[in-house]
Amino acid sequence: MTTDRYGVVGHPVAHSLSPQIHTAFAQQTGIDLQYRRILAPLDGFIATAETFFDEGGRGINVTVPFKIEAFAWCGERVTARARRAGAVNCVAVDAEGLHGDNTDGAGLVDDLQRLLGRSLAGSRLLLLGAGGAARGVLGPLLTTGLRSIAIVNRDHAKAVALADEPRLEARSLDSIGGEAFDVVVNATSASLGGVALTLPSDVLGNARLVYDMMYGAEPTPFLFEAERAGAHATADGLGMLVEQAAESFFVWRGVRPRTEAVRATLRATLQASR
Ligand code: ATR
């Protein structure tokens, strides 16, 4: 029997932690698979993915900047959560061919529930950002029974466009001071530029959990601000990364790996890289 092949397609992709995560999942579950980084040229995502599957590959994760192109490539063969996201980060092969999924939102939900130690049902969530990352997580967040999601974005019109059902509300930054949100999630790319978002400090201080979808060796500027404002708990997106990988593994193999040990190893790897 040949080893099943998987990979992550991106540009750049050299720093992806996905091979380490999936190799650990494979060892833990006793599944024989190989998972590698696949660098696609910026204008060559489809050719790269097609070659991989033509040569017998079983599944890919898709990362920056190809998730929207992957969604278009999969056409009608996408899951409901990928359609809601308008993006595909996981492609699998079934009896009828390739199909696209999106496991990012499920990864965030799993990680938030783990960190809170309870379900999100009845909670009020503040989502910062209205780009691809924010859109990608809205559908799974809404399935948890959250009471409401307030969306704040620098370009307010984009928040309004995302707020397409009653529990979603586009809000301006000026209007949220003094409000209590259970969870605040940063889905902007501001941390990438090392920029801290300026939020009313009581919003951060009142939150049970302040979460940044970005991660790194050091706390992101946003989490640094949240800690200074007295947030009850803060977390970066490393847990989401591991949980979306576990969900992808489940999509491909029908087995759900445990994530604690993998998360701890990655955290140690990141800290050693400081
Ligand atoms: P992604 O796919 O990572 O979400 P994107 O679609 O380019 O990337 O969206 C980036 C998000 O981060 C947007 O919500 C953007 O706000 P605008 O829509 O107003 O551009 C937000 N963002 C990026 N840098 C920011 C900053 N310095 N302050 C506030 N928001 C920022």
Side-chain angles (χ1 to χ4, degrees):
M1 222 176 70
T2 56
T3 302
D4 287 344
R5 291 191 302 111
Y6 297 84
V8 53
V9 183
H11 186 122
V13 78
H15 297 294
S16 171
L17 296 171
S18 294
Q20 193 179 338
I21 299 172
H22 284 282
T23 302
F25 289 164
Q27 278 165 359
Q28 181 204 118
T29 55
I31 292 173
D32 180 26
L33 62 79
Q34 181 203 81
Y35 188 108
R36 63 186 175 92
R37 298 180 185 89
I38 303 165
L39 177 69
L42 283 174
D43 60 355
F45 165 73
I46 293 176
T48 303
E50 280 180 352
T51 302
F52 180 79
F53 284 108
D54 286 348
E55 291 174 357
R58 301 298 300 165
I60 52 170
N61 283 128
V62 181
T63 189
V64 176
F66 299 128
K67 292 183 191 183
I68 293 170
E69 194 175 350
F71 175 73
W73 178 55
C74 290
E76 289 301 305
R77 303 232 347 112
V78 291
T79 58
R81 60 189 182 180
R83 198 178 304 278
R84 179 75 162 90
V88 156
N89 80 327
C90 176
V91 182
V93 188
D94 64 17
E96 288 154 49
L98 300 179
H99 69 93
D101 198 349
N102 192 311
T103 64
D104 285 330
L108 175 66
V109 166
D110 287 348
D111 204 36
L112 292 180
Q113 290 179 334
R114 173 185 72 83
L115 289 159
L116 290 167
R118 62 174 173 86
S119 97
L120 286 163
S123 302
R124 299 185 68 211
L125 188 140
L126 173 62
L127 182 65
L128 305 170
R135 183 175 171 189
V137 298
L138 275 179
L141 282 173
L142 285 168
T143 64
T144 63
L146 273 166
R147 183 160 20 134
S148 62
I149 302 178
I151 308 171
V152 169
N153 193 50
R154 186 172 57 181
D155 176 351
H156 184 66
K158 280 164 71 179
V160 171
L162 275 192
D164 60 359
E165 73 136 275
R167 281 183 296 154
L168 301 178
E169 194 185 6
R171 298 285 302 272
S172 70
L173 200 52
D174 308 338
S175 73
I176 57 170
E179 270 189 57
F181 296 97
D182 301 291
V183 181
V184 178
V185 174
N186 181 16
T188 74
S189 50
S191 292
L192 277 182
V195 182
L197 295 168
T198 315
L199 279 194
S201 66
D202 56 344
V203 167
L204 293 173
N206 288 337
R208 286 170 52 95
L209 174 64
V210 177
Y211 194 95
D212 196 338
M213 284 167 57
M214 299 283 162
Y215 61 85
E218 309 282 349
T220 66
F222 178 68
L223 294 183
F224 187 77
E225 281 305 311
E227 275 158 30
R228 211 162 60 173
H232 297 223
T234 60
D236 71 7
L238 191 72
M240 175 177 169
L241 174 77
V242 177
E243 297 299 336
Q244 67 74 29
E247 182 74 10
S248 295
F249 196 91
F250 179 72
V251 167
W252 293 324
R253 311 298 311 202
V255 179
R256 186 169 294 283
R258 291 187 314 278
T259 54
E260 315 76 48
V262 178
R263 205 165 40 239
T265 307
L266 289 187
R267 181 66 69 196
T269 308
L270 273 183
Q271 282 173 348
S273 73
R274 274 196 293 203

